[in-house]
Amino acid sequence: MRPIAILQHEHGVSAGHFASWLAARSLPHHLVSIHHGEAVPSSAEPYAGVCSLGGNMSANDPLPWIGEELALLRDAVARGVPVIGHCLGGQLLAGALGAAVYRNPCKEMGWLPVDVVDPAMAEEWLGSTTTGELFHWHGDAFELPPGARRLLSSRLTPNQAFVVGRGAAEHLGMQFHIEMTPALVTAWARDPGAADEVAEERTRTGGPGVQSPEEMCRDVERRCEAMKMLAWRLYDRWARTLRR
């Protein structure tokens, strides 16, 4: 089977549960370390699927690799190579498909509820009509691309997840970080800049979508395990259209 390309944009923003799911399913992958200067592939032809991870940058930033990644995602869609995007990756997928990415009025940082928009679709993709808390860390958001179906929403971010079909492939864009492990959550929350970012957001907006670093780390093992179960069901459904 061809490998799944994983596009990593920043140190410490790794594949988490997606990597453990790949290992459990014996699926080959190729890590593209953009944060270490590795070039974005010019074509999706060698891959079974493409996974785009998160990052602190904006999909609208004038970074050379962003245009290259948008071109790769468009190429993947044109070739019928399924794409899955996590947070920044979801924004990049939306942008590649023609949707706007914009600054959200409020940041979302921490464990926050996400609502199911389409129960039948949620049963198909998540095996459930409830999601519980999912982990967030974003200031931007995306509009829905043409032809996309909205799967999930939240009070502060109308579009939390979408699915769009092109030919035989189905592409999934997410605004949250369903890939997070306890180690990743703890590392992000304990980063010296996290408390400052939360404090700034509370000053700017009152902070309706942010939690303290202490709350992010509370009961983190249980929270991440519950999210892992949901993530693996989502990944299994996305994998149905992987190219062999």
Side-chain angles (χ1 to χ4, degrees), residues 14 57 70 72 75 88 115 120 133 165 170 182 194 205 219 222 240 243:
S14 56
M57 61 289 296
L70 290 171
L72 173 66
D75 183 70
L88 173 65
D115 301 317
E133 298 175 311
E170 291 179 294
T205 67
D219 207 10
R222 180 195 61 79
R240 288 186 191 177
R243 291 202 309 174

Side-chain angles (χ1 to χ4, degrees), residues 90-239:
Q91 296 163 10
L92 289 166
L93 175 59
L97 292 170
V101 178
Y102 59 93
R103 181 65 65 181
N104 214 33
C106 296
K107 290 185 177 182
E108 289 184 305
M109 298 170 62
W111 295 96
L112 301 167
V114 171
D115 301 317
V116 167
V117 175
D118 185 327
M121 189 178 172
E123 284 284 4
E124 179 184 353
W125 280 82
L126 301 169
S128 174
T129 57
T130 59
T131 64
E133 298 175 311
L134 300 180
F135 195 78
H136 303 252
W137 200 297
H138 68 97
D140 285 359
F142 49 70
E143 298 288 355
L144 290 181
R149 296 174 293 155
R150 186 170 59 161
L151 175 59
L152 299 171
S153 181
S154 72
R155 182 171 60 90
L156 298 175
T157 307
N159 301 317
Q160 282 285 352
F162 67 86
V163 176
V164 60
R166 293 287 190 275
E170 291 179 294
H171 313 282
L172 172 66
M174 299 172 287
Q175 187 54 80
F176 43 85
H177 284 278
I178 204 166
E179 79 282 10
M180 297 296 282
T181 63
L184 284 172
V185 171
T186 301
W188 289 17
R190 291 180 178 171
D191 183 274
D196 291 341
E197 190 172 353
V198 168
E200 289 170 7
E201 179 65 12
R202 286 175 171 169
T203 298
R204 186 178 71 89
T205 67
V210 298
Q211 293 177 338
S212 68
E214 293 75 19
E215 175 58 26
M216 293 179 196
C217 295
R218 184 182 63 80
D219 207 10
V220 69
E221 295 283 346
R222 180 195 61 79
R223 284 168 147 172
C224 284
E225 184 60 28
M227 190 166 65
K228 175 185 173 181
M229 300 293 290
L230 203 66
W232 280 31
R233 288 197 292 265
L234 195 70
Y235 296 153
D236 280 340
R237 176 59 184 83
W238 171 75

